[in-house]
Amino acid sequence: MSFSTKGEYGVRLMAQLARRFGDGPASLTDVAEEEGLPRAYLEQLVISLRDADLVQSTRGAHGGYELTRAPETIVMGEVLRALEGPIAPMICASDDPNHMACSRSGHCMVNFMWVRVRDAIAGALDSMTLADLVPPAVRMHPDFPATPVTIAD
Amino acid sequence: MSFSTKGEYGVRLMAQLARRFGDGPASLTDVAEEEGLPRAYLEQLVISLRDADLVQSTRGAHGGYELTRAPETIVMGEVLRALEGPIAPMICASDDPNHMACSRSGHCMVNFMWVRVRDAIAGALDSMTLADLVPPAVRMHPDFPATPVTIAD
DNA sequence: CTCATATCCGACGGTTTTGGTCGGAATTGC
DNA sequence: GCAATTCCGACCAAAACCGTCGGATATGAG
């Protein structure tokens, strides 16, 4: 009944990047310091986020990471899935609709329950975006809310 | 983003007890065999369930465990909480409304997200009872549905 | 060119949790 | 007394988790 700290740290990292959105790449050193998290560990986490195309990296001096899309367009479900894999409270309750894994006689309705729980979690997560985690007051770039949600591919 | 097998096994154990409700105590040996689970391990789990007053035990020969209340009155939230502790997707999101644990400057809205997720899980869990997991066809005792939800005392 | 700053990447290690076993004591019906 | 059970604590192996370390690579600035 819990997410790993991988999830927590990753979300905090993303929240920082959302806050700095529009200011160019932010180094992990900065983020780690401000958030009070171990930099070396964030390095690991951010790889998953990059592989999921949620952030993009710029190498070399003055490099760092930045969001690939506006915070308003990034739902938290994406973030958590990138960090922790598919949302399945139980192995038995993966995203496959014809699960059939539970071969117990036929009185095994427990699977049904896990699916309901999974949908509840996914629903909650997908109803929030990164922007919801960043109060407008602490945004770095004032122009940022002006950016309409036109994701020019 | 997952429950432990403690949760899964415990729920299946409870489902079995629900199925046999009204037949007197059921031994763990029986349940374990029918469900294909290690008996010695179930012994551990059932202790939590007993401490939470969800099942009661009868020691000695022909003893075993049985539900203390009718399956319809036992919500799954209770079961999971008994097995896995409080439902908190993150340490930060415990049941205390004035959490204040997150002392990060003030731009830390992430906590808010975990609370939403927790509520979603709890909501889903508390909207189902043990009886929902047991199709009427496989009930052991036909009288069982006749028992109205009058929890005497 | 050199240097400082970054990402990138694989390996490693320690602690904790998980999933489960074992042996035996206590209890009770027959 | 005997067999069936709960009860309980100790123990254990494997995996996951959290995090470190060292170094390779890339790049902008002076």
Side-chain angles (χ1 to χ4, degrees):
Chain A
M1 45 63 204
S2 76
F3 289 83
S4 59
T5 63
K6 204 188 280 193
E8 186 193 353
Y9 288 8
V11 167
R12 281 165 66 184
L13 167 57
M14 286 297 275
Q16 280 287 333
L17 294 186
R19 198 167 136 253
R20 299 148 182 265
F21 183 66
D23 290 349
S27 80
L28 282 193
T29 309
D30 283 0
V31 172
E33 191 172 345
E34 185 147 356
E35 204 70 20
L37 300 176
R39 187 196 112 268
Y41 191 37
L42 289 188
E43 266 183 27
Q44 273 190 35
L45 302 188
V46 83
I47 291 181
S48 315
L49 296 168
R50 187 197 36 171
D51 289 349
D53 250 324
L54 292 175
V55 304
Q56 77 190 102
S57 61
T58 316
R59 303 186 61 169
H62 304 113
Y65 296 91
E66 55 193 319
L67 300 182
T68 55
R69 288 142 45 197
E72 285 88 350
T73 69
I74 301 182
V75 296
M76 297 313 295
E78 290 182 272
V79 177
L80 268 301
R81 265 181 281 258
L83 290 165
E84 311 215 13
I87 295 174
M90 222 64 240
I91 332 91
C92 192
S94 86
D95 299 279
D96 184 13
N98 10 358
H99 33 277
M100 283 304 152
C102 243
S103 57
R104 289 276 133 234
S105 326
H107 53 266
C108 177
M109 301 274 296
V110 295
N111 189 44
F112 161 68
M113 184 185 82
W114 298 123
V115 171
R116 288 251 301 236
V117 172
R118 161 169 63 76
D119 290 345
I121 300 176
L125 248 21
D126 287 338
S127 72
M128 309 180 66
T129 74
L130 249 194
D132 293 325
L133 299 192
V134 184
V138 298
R139 298 247 169 84
M140 301 291 290
H141 219 69
D143 306 353
F144 154 35
T147 315
V149 192
T150 47
I151 318 167
D153 86 297
Chain B
M1 45 59 203
S2 80
F3 289 84
S4 60
T5 64
K6 204 188 277 194
E8 186 193 353
Y9 289 8
V11 166
R12 281 165 66 182
L13 167 57
M14 285 297 274
Q16 279 288 333
L17 294 186
R19 198 168 135 251
R20 299 148 182 266
F21 184 66
D23 291 350
S27 80
L28 280 193
T29 310
D30 284 0
V31 172
E33 191 171 345
E34 185 146 357
E35 202 69 21
L37 299 177
R39 186 197 111 268
Y41 190 37
L42 289 189
E43 265 182 28
Q44 273 189 36
L45 303 189
V46 83
I47 291 182
S48 315
L49 296 168
R50 187 198 35 168
D51 290 349
D53 251 323
L54 292 175
V55 305
Q56 77 190 104
S57 62
T58 317
R59 303 185 61 167
H62 303 113
Y65 295 91
E66 55 193 318
L67 300 182
T68 54
R69 290 145 40 198
E72 286 86 352
T73 69
I74 301 182
V75 296
M76 296 314 295
E78 289 182 273
V79 177
L80 267 302
R81 265 180 280 257
L83 289 165
E84 310 214 13
I87 296 173
M90 222 63 240
I91 333 92
C92 191
S94 87
D95 299 278
D96 184 13
N98 11 356
H99 33 276
M100 285 302 153
C102 246
S103 56
R104 289 277 133 233
S105 327
H107 52 265
C108 176
M109 300 274 296
V110 294
N111 189 45
F112 161 69
M113 183 185 82
W114 298 123
V115 170
R116 288 254 299 238
V117 172
R118 161 168 64 75
D119 289 346
I121 300 176
L125 248 21
D126 288 337
S127 72
M128 309 181 66
T129 75
L130 248 193
D132 294 325
L133 299 191
V134 183
V138 298
R139 297 245 170 84
M140 301 292 289
H141 219 69
D143 307 353
F144 154 37
T147 314
V149 193
T150 48
I151 316 166
D153 99 294

